[in-house]
Amino acid sequence: MKIMAILAIALLIPLAGMAQYDEPLTKEEKKALKKQEKEQFEKMLIANTSESIKARYFVLKADQLRGRGGDLINVNSTINFVAVEGEEAYVQMGSESGLGYNGVGGITVKGKITSFKVTQEGKHGTYNIVMNTLSSSGNLTIMMNVNVTGETASAVVSSTWGGRVEFNGYLAPLQGSKIHKGSETF
């Protein structure tokens, strides 16, 4: 019995010491911890955006589309996007009705990238991407502006036959992004 009591006391003493270290964080410590986590998350976004653009494997997932008339409409980002996959580019517009040429309520254009130019304003500035593609429907010119984290991105897609659409959303690495490609229209 004495051995059991001594063992119990020996086990409880370290637990009592550990309880002293579980003090709640102060308001300033919580604020500093939150700021540090935000900075780490932002650094990860900056690295992902930079690597995706360099590797040419990224997608601009559009939350909004603007046509030539200037009307701005909110759209589903899984079926409205501009994607770059190596030497190929995809431009897709769709609606959730599912009625359209591509099976997702719109059109899908796949083209071979003929020119691709990336410039960045300053060390941590906006990316400006200009690319030309050749598809069966003609040439497309895609001009993109992406902030350094990829959280704000826009693309203007112009065709040789006078069409123009602006995609507004965010940029993400192609791998792991949830997009649904419809059947190629052109």
Side-chain angles (χ1 to χ4, degrees):
M1 285 291 223
K2 288 182 184 182
I3 295 174
M4 292 288 258
I6 293 172
L7 258 165
I9 292 172
L11 289 174
L12 290 176
I13 290 174
L15 290 176
M18 287 173 41
Q20 292 175 357
Y21 292 105
D22 287 341
E23 295 177 12
L25 297 174
T26 65
K27 193 173 186 177
E28 291 81 25
E29 290 172 333
K30 286 180 184 178
K31 189 175 179 180
L33 183 62
K34 197 174 218 179
K35 183 179 178 183
Q36 183 181 18
E37 288 173 353
K38 184 179 177 182
E39 288 173 356
Q40 289 176 344
F41 181 69
E42 193 170 288
K43 285 180 183 178
M44 182 203 58
L45 287 176
I46 291 169
N48 281 347
T49 301
S50 174
E51 291 301 316
S52 298
I53 291 172
K54 285 179 188 174
R56 291 190 187 185
Y57 279 91
F58 59 88
V59 60
L60 185 155
K61 297 179 76 171
D63 298 323
Q64 298 177 327
L65 292 179
R66 183 184 313 263
R68 278 185 15 187
D71 295 332
L72 188 67
I73 58 170
N74 294 324
V75 294
N76 183 340
S77 63
T78 59
I79 57 175
N80 292 278
F81 57 85
V82 176
V84 174
E85 191 173 344
E87 295 299 317
E88 295 178 336
Y90 294 87
V91 176
Q92 178 172 291
M93 293 178 289
S95 75
E96 294 175 339
S97 70
L99 302 173
Y101 296 112
N102 61 355
V104 291
I107 61 168
T108 303
V109 178
K110 174 185 171 186
K112 180 173 174 42
I113 297 174
T114 56
S115 70
F116 188 89
K117 182 180 178 186
V118 178
T119 57
Q120 188 175 12
E121 297 173 6
K123 186 176 179 183
H124 296 290
T126 302
Y127 289 99
N128 297 309
I129 304 167
V130 178
M131 67 183 108
N132 292 306
T133 65
L134 181 61
S135 69
S136 59
S137 66
N139 295 334
L140 294 178
T141 300
I142 303 169
M143 294 181 289
M144 300 176 83
N145 293 315
V146 182
N147 77 340
V148 71
T149 60
E151 294 175 304
T152 305
S154 66
V156 176
V157 179
S158 305
S159 68
T160 53
W161 30 268
R164 182 183 185 277
V165 178
E166 182 180 339
F167 291 76
N168 295 314
Y170 60 95
L171 190 102
L174 188 61
Q175 183 180 8
S177 64
K178 295 181 179 176
I179 58 171
H180 179 73
K181 288 182 188 172
S183 57
E184 295 167 24
T185 312
F186 301 106

